Amino acid sequence: MRSVGIMGGTFDPVHMGHLACAEMARDACGIDEVLFIVAGNPNFKQGMQMAPASERFAMVQAAIAGNDAFAASDAEVRREGVTYTADTLLELKDADPTAELSFIMGTDALLTLHAWKDADVIARLARIICVSRPGYALGDRERARLARAGFDVTIIEAPLLDISSSEVRQRVAEGRSIRYLVPDAVRAHIQDRRLYRREEA
Ligand code: ATP
Ligand code: MG
């Protein structure tokens, strides 16, 4: 059976933390392919400013180019309205009913998972693989809450990279270096398209 890992995110922009998270999960759990699903219009980021989905998707494509085990999906970018993970998992299951789905996330995302829309659908369709993210701890209470919601969670030990998209955006706005925090191709894209610059008055 084909094992597919799903790495969902805003990817504004994609950085080494995302790539390492996906790769460590793939390696630890015998995943055949990791699909990076770029969020279109995520519920939890309503009203927040984001780079256009087309730019975020292009950066993910550039970041994973050359890795045969990684692929990018624009399914959520193309979907109208607010996008939800449960709908995406249903679509994937529909397209390949025999695929074994794992949703890969960092600890920050795991701590909110029980409250995602149609959490029961997510729990039924995918196993959760969590890669520890610096600054977020999963306690007994949180574990119990996830178990009650029906989630099958595997936590993997992997090197931690304390990188966030927020930090990358802020550094670009301040004219500081993001080299080695993002792949070179992503850095070039940000420069070419003049993304994340502070608006001049
Ligand atoms: P922002 O700072 O804008 O919130 P982010 O860096 O958190 O961006 P997202 O696109 O929100 O990136 O995250 C997508 C997924 O990647 C989430 O599941 C998140 O937990 C995970 N993730 C992001 N950065 C890391 C990291 N450094 N280590 C492990 N997981 C990460
Ligand atoms: Mg985040």
Side-chain angles (χ1 to χ4, degrees):
M1 211 191 310
R2 206 166 76 97
S3 171
V4 178
I6 296 143
M7 179 83 199
T10 318
F11 303 118
D12 190 22
V14 63
H15 54 69
M16 292 304 192
H18 294 128
L19 297 168
C21 176
E23 176 65 5
M24 297 303 118
R26 186 198 63 73
D27 177 63
C29 301
I31 286 170
D32 297 308
E33 180 179 61
V34 179
L35 194 56
F36 285 71
I37 301 192
V38 179
N41 196 5
N43 188 37
F44 60 93
K45 286 199 172 158
Q46 294 303 307
M48 286 167 73
Q49 247 200 340
M50 273 191 286
S54 56
E55 301 285 4
R56 292 181 287 112
F57 183 67
M59 290 188 281
V60 168
Q61 283 187 307
I64 68 174
N67 184 339
D68 290 340
F70 286 0
S73 162
D74 63 354
E76 291 193 359
V77 169
R78 284 184 287 104
R79 195 179 306 146
E80 301 276 322
V82 179
T83 46
Y84 297 101
T85 297
D87 299 333
T88 305
L89 292 176
L90 285 166
E91 265 180 32
L92 288 172
K93 202 71 193 168
D94 218 40
D96 186 355
T98 67
E100 195 178 77
L101 304 180
S102 303
F103 200 90
I104 304 166
M105 57 177 62
T107 319
D108 59 313
L110 185 68
L111 291 173
T112 67
L113 181 61
H114 62 283
W116 290 16
K117 184 170 175 282
D118 299 327
D120 56 321
V121 175
I122 300 173
R124 179 163 54 80
L125 295 179
R127 154 171 81 148
I128 307 298
I129 300 174
C130 176
V131 181
S132 342
R133 187 165 188 190
Y136 300 91
L138 187 71
D140 290 341
R141 250 190 51 197
E142 287 81 20
R143 280 176 203 269
R145 191 170 61 194
L146 286 163
R148 268 201 309 280
F151 286 105
D152 169 12
V153 182
T154 302
I155 302 197
I156 66 168
E157 297 298 327
L160 307 176
L161 291 181
D162 195 1
I163 305 173
S164 67
S165 299
S166 315
E167 163 105 35
V168 172
R169 292 194 300 272
Q170 194 182 335
R171 292 186 71 88
V172 174
E174 291 171 355
R176 301 175 67 191
S177 173
I178 55 168
R179 192 168 192 184
Y180 308 126
L181 300 182
V182 302
D184 286 340
V186 171
R187 190 162 54 97
H189 187 98
I190 290 171
Q191 209 159 23
D192 288 352
R193 309 285 298 170
R194 305 176 68 86
L195 300 176
Y196 312 123
R197 300 223 178 171
R198 187 171 287 147
E199 276 167 47
E200 268 115 317

